Amino acid sequence: MSNFYQVLTILVAAVIVVWLFRRWQLPAILAYLVAGTLIGEHGLNITGDEADYEHIAELGIVFLLFTLGLEFSLPKLLAMRKLVTGIGCNQVGLTLMIVIVLAMLFGISLPTAFVIGGIVALSSTAIVIRQLSESGSIKRRSGQISVAVLLCQDIAVVPFLILIPLLGEGLDWGMLSALILALVKGSFVVAVLLFTGRWLLPRIFNVVAQVRTDELFVLTTILVTLLAAALTQFFGLSMALGAFLAGMMLGESQYKYQLEADIRPFRDILLGLFFITVGMKLDWQALLQSPGSIALVLLLTLLIKISVIRWLGVRAGESAKDSWAAGFMLAQMGEFSFVLIALAANNGLFDSQLTSVLLGAGILSMAVTPFMINRARSWAVKLTLENNKSAVDEDVIEQPQQALSNHVVICGFGRVGQTVSRFLKQENIDFIAIDIDPVRVNEAREAGENVLFGSARQAEVLRAANISEAKLVVVSYGAPEQSFDVVQKVRSLSEHVQILVRTRNDDALTKLQQAGANEVVPESLEGSLMLVSQVLNLSGVPFSRIVRQIQAERKNHYNRLHGFYPGVDTDMSAGAIERLEFVHATLLNDDAFAAGQTIEALNLKDKRVEILAIRRQGQEIAHPSAQQKLMAQDTLVLQGKPRRVERVERFLQKGE
């Protein structure tokens, strides 16, 4: 089978299996693993050698570590240091030691036992965080404990990535010098990346962002990630380590959320390919030959991690109930466990039998994770014998404070967005703005404005603005196409938030409302209304009457502001004619087809043209009724798009 058809087979299998798993509300990672086992060499064997794809799939891990680096925040780490160090780091170390001892009792060598300990110590950041967010448990104390432990586990991945290739070279005295050399080289590379990254990367992205080209920004992000990965690989270290450091350098920059949004599609696709290649290594025959081994590894993994996290949680001063719940949430193996399994297998630390057993246990542990997270609270209450209502209610204590809540999100911080923000400030209403112009963002942030750099069309950027807790979104761009995309994205993330859109005119008013906008404010027509209100006010019309007329016009979609009489300087290009509505006067001849007929009989509504007025013998009949009969020599004032008005004029005269 040619490479093209092999890739096509992988895509077909991935799409079908992921679709099925998502229908069953199972994680996509499991779907990729199962797809790999089905089409791999131990399954249908229709993809050839998985090594052909591993080089590309490895980039998925590179991009995953880059986004992890973006999330790595030293201030955040310091704020959670009690949980991170007291529970997270101790959990990794204690689990590692327990597994090493147990593995060596089963006759496994120390290097292999060490890697198995690292595999078991890690949990699934992707599955746990997503499940906690969907269930709302991330706001509970048990959810906060879980996040702290996951943060420490993610950091612990980096030394494992360095050590596993060294362990594969054999455990001897030379390994100590190799380890020392690796630490020296690692320290040097980290220092180089930290120095150049902090000084160089922000300046590079400043220059790129000023070009205002999305493709260039994405390409630069990919290039920086791969360059950092290549640098660490050149010094004999993991590519993922370089990507992690590059992400960390940009994690505190204003481009953080846009970088994460740009890299996510590449990361998800390549990471999916990586897990497919991992699944290709799963030997079904080995699984069938050793179901007891898989069940034992699975059971020990769950028991060890639940017990360790529960004990460390209570020891750190957390309640037994929250500690039990966090243990159930983090009992599974993680996506990085599969990374370490693949790395250990490639370095000769695992044989095919051990690889398959660990993969099988890992897949099963991740499969039961949603079930365990959904029931973690109830199980924890039963285990602590706290069956009364007050004990359950205590589980919601210490909800994390969101940066913003019940606030206004301003999409676009240009002239209009800044004007809106000033009035919000005067009323002490919290807001956050999103803008893609780096110069404007820099200036605004220097002045203390709460502004995010990024595109409001990206879900990650909107989530960073805490869109789910916002009460109002103001879309101030003016360009209907851009506003339409933003409205759709906002509405997909939040069904309840109010969306107010500013446009230059009302060409896309209906389209924006159908996309989910609650209010659309056409700037040019609103300007006309303000002018009209001033004219009427200075002409002596009572203010209450002016307000009623303005409100009625808005409710009527600015209907009386649409048509106008064209002149010499009117733009008559094809595009303009399609957008505008003209007002045109036509005289009915003595033999006109419409003479003697009522407006209703002519059925002009279907032709989408309206008769605004009738001039008859020097008198005007404004807004004639449907029963009004037309007469020869009447002058009809028609409103509609130019081509429609032309057709209706011919129809009125000749009936065709």
Side-chain angles (χ1 to χ4, degrees):
M1 185 182 291
S2 68
N3 289 335
F4 172 75
Y5 289 108
Q6 289 176 2
V7 173
L8 185 62
T9 301
I10 292 175
L11 290 175
V12 170
V15 169
I16 294 174
V17 178
V18 170
W19 176 76
L20 286 173
F21 273 55
R22 294 311 294 159
R23 287 287 300 272
W24 298 333
Q25 296 184 342
L26 292 174
I29 292 174
L30 293 179
Y32 288 123
L33 291 168
V34 171
T37 60
L38 290 175
I39 62 179
E41 61 177 314
H42 302 293
L44 300 176
N45 195 22
I46 53 180
T47 57
D49 186 1
E50 66 267 16
D52 295 338
Y53 314 102
E54 286 179 350
H55 296 299
I56 299 176
E58 189 178 359
L59 296 178
I61 304 303
V62 170
F63 289 132
L64 178 61
L65 264 293
F66 177 76
T67 54
L68 175 62
L70 289 174
E71 293 300 324
F72 183 83
S73 170
L74 189 58
K76 179 180 178 181
L77 188 63
L78 292 174
M80 302 177 66
R81 60 186 179 275
K82 179 183 175 183
L83 293 178
V84 173
T85 58
I87 303 179
C89 296
N90 288 335
Q91 179 269 326
V92 174
L94 186 55
T95 303
L96 181 64
M97 289 189 292
I98 293 174
V99 174
I100 289 175
V101 172
L102 288 175
M104 293 184 70
L105 289 176
F106 283 93
I108 297 175
S109 65
L110 178 58
T112 302
F114 176 82
V115 178
I116 295 174
I119 291 168
V120 173
L122 302 178
S123 303
S124 175
T125 302
I127 296 177
V128 173
I129 294 298
R130 181 167 184 172
Q131 196 72 20
L132 289 177
S133 300
E134 290 178 355
S135 65
S137 297
I138 201 168
K139 295 182 178 181
R140 305 181 184 277
R141 186 61 179 176
S142 56
Q144 291 298 288
I145 296 173
S146 301
V147 171
V149 174
L150 288 170
L151 179 60
C152 185
Q153 290 178 355
D154 290 340
I155 298 171
V157 171
V158 178
F160 280 116
L161 293 173
I162 296 174
L163 289 172
I164 289 177
L166 297 176
L167 292 172
E169 298 174 0
L171 186 62
D172 52 26
W173 292 108
M175 178 185 167
L176 181 60
S177 60
L179 180 58
I180 294 174
L181 180 61
L183 291 175
V184 172
K185 289 192 296 184
S187 301
F188 172 74
V189 172
V190 169
V192 170
L193 287 176
L194 288 176
F195 177 77
T196 59
R198 188 172 297 276
W199 177 81
L200 186 62
L201 288 184
R203 288 169 172 78
I204 291 175
F205 279 97
N206 276 337
V207 173
V208 170
Q210 290 175 19
V211 179
R212 307 288 295 278
T213 303
D214 293 342
E215 293 83 355
L216 182 60
F217 198 88
V218 174
L219 285 172
T220 306
T221 304
I222 295 173
L223 178 61
V224 166
T225 306
L226 296 182
L227 280 176
L231 179 62
T232 52
Q233 187 185 47
F234 177 77
F235 283 94
L237 302 174
S238 169
M239 292 174 62
L241 175 60
F244 173 81
L245 293 172
M248 192 172 67
M249 290 302 93
L250 293 165
E252 296 295 330
S253 73
Q254 65 187 33
Y255 306 112
K256 170 183 175 180
Y257 300 107
Q258 186 62 38
L259 289 167
E260 186 176 3
D262 287 339
I263 210 72
R264 179 179 290 273
F266 302 95
R267 185 199 70 185
D268 290 347
I269 294 171
L270 293 172
L271 196 58
L273 179 58
F274 170 80
F275 287 119
I276 288 176
T277 60
V278 172
M280 289 179 183
K281 294 182 174 66
L282 186 61
D283 188 346
W284 285 103
Q285 293 182 351
L287 293 180
L288 295 175
Q289 292 172 0
S290 54
S293 299
I294 294 174
L296 179 61
V297 172
L298 174 62
L299 182 61
L300 287 175
T301 298
L302 298 179
L303 289 177
I304 290 171
K305 296 183 76 172
I306 291 172
S307 302
V308 167
I309 294 172
R310 188 269 178 195
W311 182 74
L312 290 173
V314 173
R315 185 169 174 267
E318 303 296 331
S319 69
K321 176 168 55 62
D322 290 330
S323 301
W324 276 120
F328 289 126
M329 294 172 181
L330 300 172
Q332 76 294 132
M333 293 187 195
E335 53 271 5
F336 282 116
S337 297
F338 296 112
V339 176
L340 300 186
I341 291 173
L343 188 60
N346 291 337
N347 285 275
L349 291 169
F350 291 172
D351 57 23
S352 61
Q353 176 73 17
L354 181 56
T355 299
S356 296
V357 169
L358 290 173
L359 285 174
I363 290 173
L364 291 176
S365 71
M366 294 175 77
V368 300
T369 296
F371 176 80
M372 294 183 68
I373 291 179
N374 290 335
R375 287 157 181 78
R377 289 176 60 205
S378 60
W379 290 347
V381 170
K382 290 178 181 178
L383 286 171
T384 52
L385 302 178
E386 295 176 357
N387 294 312
N388 53 68
K389 182 178 183 298
S390 62
V392 177
D393 289 342
E394 285 176 3
D395 199 42
V396 301
I397 63 170
E398 220 170 307
Q399 293 188 5
Q401 292 186 353
Q402 298 288 350
L404 286 174
S405 180
N406 201 33
H407 58 292
V408 177
V409 178
I410 304 173
C411 299
F413 204 56
R415 176 181 55 83
V416 175
Q418 292 175 43
T419 301
V420 171
S421 72
R422 292 182 184 120
F423 281 88
L424 291 175
K425 276 184 181 179
Q426 290 180 4
E427 300 300 325
N428 293 320
I429 298 174
D430 290 333
F431 73 90
I432 185 170
I434 301 172
D435 200 275
I436 198 68
D437 188 322
V439 176
R440 182 182 297 137
V441 172
N442 277 330
E443 290 287 338
R445 288 165 69 99
E446 287 292 329
E449 301 285 0
N450 193 10
V451 185
L452 283 178
F453 174 85
S455 170
R457 303 181 187 184
Q458 300 283 0
E460 289 77 8
V461 177
L462 291 171
R463 290 193 186 100
N466 207 13
I467 195 72
S468 61
E469 300 294 331
K471 64 180 177 182
L472 174 65
V473 175
V474 179
V475 183
S476 67
Y477 295 117
E481 297 82 7
Q482 187 177 9
S483 299
F484 178 76
D485 292 342
V486 173
V487 170
Q488 279 192 317
K489 185 61 67 175
V490 170
R491 188 54 72 208
S492 69
L493 297 174
S494 177
E495 296 181 357
H496 67 273
V497 68
Q498 296 286 307
I499 304 177
L500 175 66
V501 183
R502 165 249 178 178
T503 61
R504 293 190 177 90
N505 49 56
D506 65 336
D507 294 344
L509 187 146
T510 302
K511 182 180 178 181
L512 289 167
Q513 289 177 334
Q514 291 174 347
N518 300 96
E519 297 289 341
V520 181
V521 180
E523 193 174 58
S524 59
L525 300 185
E526 279 294 326
S528 298
L529 283 181
M530 292 301 99
L531 176 63
V532 168
S533 66
Q534 293 295 325
V535 170
L536 295 178
N537 181 48
L538 294 175
S539 300
V541 177
F543 185 72
S544 59
R545 179 175 173 82
I546 296 174
V547 172
R548 285 197 300 272
Q549 289 197 35
I550 297 297
Q551 291 177 341
E553 195 59 37
R554 288 171 178 156
K555 187 176 181 180
N556 198 32
H557 289 186
Y558 308 92
N559 192 50
R560 281 191 288 182
L561 304 182
H562 284 169
F564 66 94
Y565 300 105
V568 175
D569 59 348
T570 302
D571 182 5
M572 300 297 289
S573 63
I577 289 179
E578 288 301 319
R579 293 194 308 268
L580 302 176
E581 287 192 357
F582 289 171
V583 176
H584 176 66
T586 183
L587 176 67
L588 293 183
N589 299 328
D590 292 336
D591 58 349
F593 169 77
Q597 299 195 52
T598 63
I599 295 176
E600 183 179 33
L602 294 171
N603 199 22
L604 296 183
K605 284 188 177 180
D606 289 348
K607 296 177 174 54
R608 301 174 72 176
V609 172
E610 181 182 359
I611 299 178
L612 296 179
I614 301 173
R615 298 284 300 179
R616 179 180 295 167
Q617 297 178 351
Q619 301 294 321
E620 179 177 307
I621 304 174
H623 305 293
S625 68
Q627 305 305 320
Q628 178 69 50
K629 183 179 291 188
L630 303 181
M631 300 176 60
Q633 299 302 313
D634 279 351
T635 298
L636 308 183
V637 182
L638 307 176
Q639 176 181 309
K641 294 188 180 299
R643 294 179 181 176
R644 294 173 187 161
V645 171
E646 290 177 7
R647 287 195 293 267
V648 166
E649 186 175 21
R650 186 167 57 252
F651 170 73
L652 293 172
Q653 298 291 353
K654 301 181 180 179
E656 57 182 35

